Amino acid sequence: FEGQSEPILLGGMVAKIVDEYESSRFECRKLLSAALGNRGEGVTDPSWVEECPRLNVRMSANNGFLALNSREFIEIYLGSESTFFSPIAFLGYAIDVNSAMRMIRYQVNPNNPYFNSNLGTEVVTLSVTDQGFSGSDSTGEFDGTGAESKLTFIVSIEPVNNLPIITVPRASDPIQVNENGEAQLSRASL
């Protein structure tokens, strides 16, 4: 709802590699998931892992902020300043991207909690690119052409008809109205 400060869950997005990065080395295609699944304290990744392609992900909300499910094993290069931010962009292997985006959260901008009163709805955009590791372009002519998947969706935020807040003067500045006389209100704020 409009003015709500608690984040809401938007759902998740899963990156599925269709062509298994045909231009990358054999280990990246066949052994990467197993190698990354063994990560942990005291475990060193095989040297070939650094040569495997990573996905480039960008998420943005027009008026609010987004948060990832996890920030582990991804390289955030935009929006790392806080948990909730927009836009957020990062690099990661497919398994790590899936973990990070398993459950995306949205939060209304606390500096503008009532943006929806007259403007409509929030638009969230998610974009994933393979940085040119998907093989060739759609014609098959140019190798190393990047492929991008883009998802845009609407978050409907219900406007709330709040009661007006009437601000009265401080106790040190009381309002005095003389009895049996006329009173005139010179300024009001709703």
Side-chain angles (χ1 to χ4, degrees), residues 61-77:
N62 286 356
N63 295 291
F65 298 122
L66 300 169
L68 298 168
N69 180 61
S70 165
R71 291 176 168 233
E72 191 173 34
F73 303 121
I74 59 173
E75 181 185 333
I76 299 174
Y77 62 89

Side-chain angles (χ1 to χ4, degrees), residues 16 22 45 80 91 134-135 167 177 183 189:
K16 182 177 179 184
E22 61 189 34
D45 289 339
S80 63
L91 296 170
S134 65
T167 307
V177 178
S189 173

